[in-house]
Amino acid sequence: MNKSILVLKGDGIGPEVIDQALKSLKAVCKKFNHRFEYQEALIGGVAIDKFGVPLPEETLELAKKSDAVFLGAVGDWKYDKLDPAIRPEKGLLGIRKGLGLFANLRPVKIFDELVSSSPLKEDLIEGVDIIIIRELTGGIYFGEPKGEGIKDGERTSFNTMIYKESEVRRIAKVAFEVAMKRNKKVCSIDKANVLDVSRFWREIVTDVAKDYPQVELLHMYVDNAAMQLVLRPKQFDVILTSNLFGDILSDEASVLSGSLGLLPSASLSDGKIGMFEPCHGSAPDFKGLDKLNPIATILSAAMMLKYGLDMPEEAKAIENAVDKVLKQGYRTEDIFKKPNEKLVGTSKMGDLIAEKISKDN
Ligand code: IPM
Ligand code: MG
């Protein structure tokens, strides 16, 4: 099959981790006889440096024409002082909105061999298998009005947490559909004891649930959820939540797996285009050090194959290869815990996984 993929390497360690995942994709193409055409474009800080904006129009146009978008990371301290309208993160938010990527899927799975590298007790996390469904194009991230003004005679700043019924319905539907293919449990997380928008969210989610009588629906306040995630993570199957809460809880959930460097994500729209990126940021301090874990990005490539290009078998080939390399004891620094493990750098980890894909049949 021929597919066109837009590669947005971005900032910091983005290019390094993307390069590792491209090795795996190359091995997959060879093995399954596919042809992927890659185009590269700029987003984030590198786009600001060249064009003065974090999301050049050309990048969004290319993304719309491709079969899938594969993204590294955006952001660098050096842009912290810029006008907020042109921060690197605006590029990421812009492309999510521009492509209508309202559904962000963040699976949190524990690799058996990494159970001991989690900071949590082994019996708590063994067998944890959660998927966070985060609403990605609405809520307080995009809500209007927002800004700064003068209130009661002093400088004041504000954002708006806002959801339309259709926005809640469509993301709830995604969560229930995903749950139907898993353990049929949805936990919707909100702050309905305080926020109007959360009470509304809860009402709509409860209504959508009527179409899925086999799925058990539970509601939980976000503060309690933050605690439950580290206290009894096994109780969760599908977590459904809004943009901001999903951002926070997915970083927290990454700790279960032992490292943020292991968590992939898929951002999907109603249409055909999806974007695939690791959950972690650009980690500019680690740029060029060949230290960081490329597995989150490599697994994001697997998600691209599965959800974006309809190639589940090919996705499995990558996931199996990651499993095997970890079983053989190879570890990047973030998950290196025991003296008998083999410490490797970013690039070597990329090579090992790609080689495994080629060798296995
Ligand atoms: C994420 C990131 C982004 C977000 C930032 C980089 C804008 O933290 O994907 O979780 O807040 O959504
Ligand atoms: Mg985040």
Side-chain angles (χ1 to χ4, degrees), residues 74 89-90 92-93 96 104 106 134 136 141 243 246-248 250-251 265 277-281:
V74 298
E89 289 81 358
K90 279 274 173 196
L92 184 55
L93 299 179
R96 286 174 179 170
N104 185 217
R106 299 189 161 186
R134 167 188 176 197
L136 202 61
Y141 270 56
N243 206 344
D247 177 47
I248 299 166
S250 60
D251 265 33
S265 88
E277 53 172 315
C279 289
H280 62 68

Side-chain angles (χ1 to χ4, degrees), residues 161-169 190-192 195-207 219:
M161 194 184 264
I162 181 167
Y163 272 111
K164 287 191 263 189
E165 180 173 342
S166 57
E167 291 174 313
V168 183
R169 266 188 198 283
D190 59 38
K191 187 68 186 167
L195 303 175
D196 294 87
V197 59
S198 279
R199 281 190 286 274
F200 177 71
W201 173 280
R202 198 174 266 223
E203 182 193 317
I204 307 297
V205 171
T206 306
D207 194 49
H219 301 279

